Amino acid sequence: MLAAFTFNTAENLPVGLLEVISGSLRVSVSAVGLLVTGYGVTVAVASLPLAHVMRAVPRRHVLTGLLAALVVSSLVAALATSYWMLLTARLLTALAQALFWAVMGPVAVGLFAPAVRGRVLGALSVAGSLALVLGVPVGTWLGQQSEWQVPVALLAGLGLVSLVMIAVLLPTSRPDEERAAYGTGPDARRFGIVLAAGTLSATGAFAGYTYVVKFLGDVSGFSPSAVSALLVVFGVACLAGVSITGALLDRFPQAALTTAVVTQAVGMLGLYAVGRDPVAAVVFLVLMGGALGPVFMTTQNAMLHCAPGRTDIALAANSGLYNAGIAAGAALGGLILPLADVRGTFLAGGLLTVTAWAVLLSGQLLRQRPASAE
């Protein structure tokens, strides 16, 4: 959980420190923004190849190495005296995170009985969500009060604590002998359906969410200070959604995924339809936030069940495609913005999310056909 919190904070921290880093390194704000974009693209591209290359290495050694890379890259970033040095450090962190999400799930849930694995995955997702609600705001405040290098260096300290705990306490075993190394119910068709639905959901969500600040200001009429507060509300809703879904995931794994996707669609289309009303905007923003985290968590949980082969490879594919969806969504929103107002990005995102729900529904109908034929 601590490692998940640290990685997610490291990924998103530059968002809160754009102007501080820009002034310190004397580069444009958009160049600093590429530190986040490049990070996401690296995770999307590297997840599956890295998981394949490291598939035979004991997971304790892999996680220890990944956390060592996080510590070193965070220290290099904190000591960076140029933009390119900082970018290099960020890409090293991204490579470590790309593999971390692939191996973390099977290792963690494999330590517990199958009946509670959804709750274990929920706990890891809560830690990841706390990065947005707690890690990035606190890191932003520290960077503004001192230097941006201070919170980056603190991340190295948190990574070191995780490294020591895993190196000392985690059992060493062959990856293919771990209890969660393979899916509990391999199903190649279900695997493909979940991958497609998760990618469509991510693309839809970030087509709108990337421009949510502009939407809340231009369409809903909130002041800049109110928009900042609403972003915190969005993060808290995401954390609450992950917590609630995690508690129910073992009992209703398929319904949890469908519910999260439908809730995201309702939130986005509601913002498009009635987002000019401030009260309605807050309600639908909370719905969207409450679904965003659970969508990814429930697709990850599905991978542990339906993976046709090794679960770490399946999780790497899911994480890579989800991050590709994030990048595609942001790009799609950027294309829509000059052609329509910012409401159009939420309409497009909502319709893509409805398509994701349709994909899930088609999968359920296909599973029911054999039973009806009999």
Side-chain angles (χ1 to χ4, degrees):
M1 287 176 71
L2 179 61
F5 172 83
T6 306
F7 266 116
N8 269 18
T9 302
E11 178 179 4
N12 294 286
L13 186 57
V15 173
L17 297 172
L18 285 177
E19 294 185 356
V20 179
I21 297 174
S22 171
S24 172
L25 298 180
R26 298 179 181 176
V27 294
S28 67
V29 171
S30 59
V32 181
L34 288 174
L35 296 175
V36 179
T37 307
Y39 194 107
V41 171
T42 301
V43 172
V45 171
S47 292
L48 194 55
L50 283 176
H52 183 74
V53 169
M54 303 297 289
R55 66 190 182 280
V57 181
R59 304 293 89 168
R60 183 171 72 92
H61 299 161
V62 171
L63 285 172
T64 302
L66 295 177
L67 288 164
L70 172 63
V71 172
V72 171
S73 61
S74 297
L75 289 175
V76 171
L79 297 171
T81 54
S82 70
Y83 174 79
W84 295 108
M85 186 176 177
L86 178 58
L87 179 61
T88 302
R90 289 277 300 170
L91 294 180
L92 175 58
T93 309
L95 287 172
Q97 182 164 333
L99 186 56
F100 174 78
W101 288 118
V103 301
M104 172 191 70
V107 169
V109 302
L111 299 172
F112 295 85
V116 297
R117 287 178 178 176
R119 275 187 283 167
V120 175
L121 198 61
L124 295 171
S125 298
V126 166
S129 299
L130 273 174
L132 298 177
V133 180
L134 180 65
V136 173
V138 170
T140 300
W141 180 82
L142 282 174
Q144 291 170 343
Q145 298 303 310
S146 52
E147 300 289 340
W148 64 265
Q149 292 91 340
V150 172
V152 175
L154 286 176
L155 291 176
L158 294 177
L160 184 60
V161 173
S162 300
L163 188 159
V164 171
M165 291 171 67
I166 286 174
V168 172
L169 299 176
L170 189 69
T172 303
S173 60
R174 289 174 52 85
D176 55 359
E177 294 174 352
E178 292 180 352
R179 290 193 292 175
Y182 296 92
T184 55
D187 186 336
R189 186 169 63 184
R190 172 71 177 166
F191 173 72
I193 287 169
V194 172
L195 281 181
T199 306
L200 285 166
S201 295
T203 305
F206 283 86
Y209 178 65
T210 305
Y211 306 96
V212 69
V213 171
K214 183 175 177 59
F215 182 97
L216 293 172
D218 293 358
V219 178
S220 305
F222 289 105
S223 66
S225 58
V227 170
S228 299
L230 286 173
L231 291 179
V232 175
V233 170
F234 185 93
V236 171
C238 181
L239 180 61
V242 166
S243 302
I244 294 168
T245 305
L248 301 172
L249 197 50
D250 291 308
R251 294 173 60 192
F252 311 106
Q254 294 182 19
L257 173 55
T258 303
T259 301
V261 171
V262 169
T263 303
Q264 179 180 301
V266 171
M268 298 195 75
L269 293 176
L271 283 167
Y272 165 74
V274 293
R276 289 191 178 92
D277 178 79
V279 175
V282 172
V283 170
F284 286 109
L285 183 72
V286 167
L287 283 176
M288 183 183 170
L292 189 61
V295 168
F296 180 66
M297 179 180 71
T298 51
T299 59
Q300 291 285 84
N301 184 62
M303 294 295 106
L304 294 172
H305 291 286
C306 69
R310 285 263 296 269
T311 52
D312 54 353
I313 302 297
L315 288 166
N318 190 52
S319 177
L321 284 174
Y322 190 87
N323 277 277
I326 291 174
L332 175 63
L335 292 173
I336 293 171
L337 208 54
L339 304 175
D341 64 13
V342 70
R343 291 174 64 240
T345 65
F346 281 82
L347 174 61
L351 293 176
L352 278 169
T353 310
V354 169
T355 306
W357 170 74
V359 169
L360 291 173
L361 182 61
S362 69
Q364 293 170 3
L365 293 174
L366 285 172
R367 280 203 311 276
Q368 290 169 2
R369 274 185 187 175
S372 7
E374 290 171 5

